[in-house]
Amino acid sequence: MPVDVAATIAGFDALGTRMDVAARGIASTAAHLVQAAAMKAAPVGTPGNSTNAPGDLRRSIDVQGPRALSAHAWEAEVGPTTAYGRQRELGGEILPRSARMLAFTKFGTLYVVPRVYQEPEPYMKPALDESRTVIGSAVTRIVAAAIEET
């Protein structure tokens, strides 16, 4: 049975192009699935307990990308744009930057302290963990569609 080498090469080239489009779609889909889960899981403050409005952290969770890393490899970033997003996820000590003490108002009372410890309230990692199964299903669907396309 003769094989049309030129047609076979053209077919593989076309499949490579479709797989690149699929890889970009996978990166975008995965990032937006994680974003949606993180926005649901992000802690929301109480009015008067923060300098930021309740929900600022949740609203700040953004997707950047996807962008090409190399041929057929794509990435996207998901995370908060607020300055305190990492602190809320990981917790830790908050120290003054340029003063000797921290000064803040909480529920109308002024506090002046040398440091504060904030308990972690993870929302990004749980969002990623929660999204893994759905992302896996999306990968299967997107790759199958790219292969089946004529």
Side-chain angles (χ1 to χ4, degrees):
M1 174 176 190
V3 174
D4 184 344
V5 175
T8 301
I9 291 171
F12 280 131
D13 285 344
L15 177 60
T17 299
R18 291 194 312 270
M19 291 305 290
D20 187 49
V21 170
R24 184 182 194 284
I26 289 166
S28 178
T29 299
H32 285 93
L33 288 168
V34 172
Q35 177 193 33
M39 289 176 83
K40 282 187 354 190
V44 176
T46 306
N49 188 32
S50 172
T51 55
N52 290 75
D56 273 0
L57 176 61
R58 179 175 284 176
R59 286 186 295 276
S60 82
I61 298 170
D62 195 20
V63 172
Q64 292 185 5
R67 22 178 201 279
L69 288 173
S70 62
H72 310 296
W74 294 84
E75 73 171 356
E77 294 180 47
V78 182
T81 59
T82 58
Y84 59 89
R86 182 179 171 88
Q87 180 74 28
R88 291 297 296 266
E89 174 83 10
L90 302 174
E93 198 169 55
I94 301 171
L95 300 168
R97 287 188 181 174
S98 59
R100 297 182 80 168
M101 303 288 263
L102 291 170
F104 58 93
T105 303
K106 186 173 182 175
F107 299 119
T109 302
L110 176 65
Y111 293 88
V112 180
V113 296
R115 63 181 44 100
V116 173
Y117 180 81
Q118 184 171 37
E119 292 292 330
E121 294 185 70
Y123 58 97
M124 290 303 302
K125 181 161 183 342
L128 176 60
D129 293 343
E130 174 188 317
S131 301
R132 287 184 195 279
T133 301
V134 179
I135 290 169
S137 297
V139 168
T140 301
R141 179 179 45 77
I142 292 168
V143 169
I147 292 170
E148 290 173 4
E149 192 176 312
T150 55

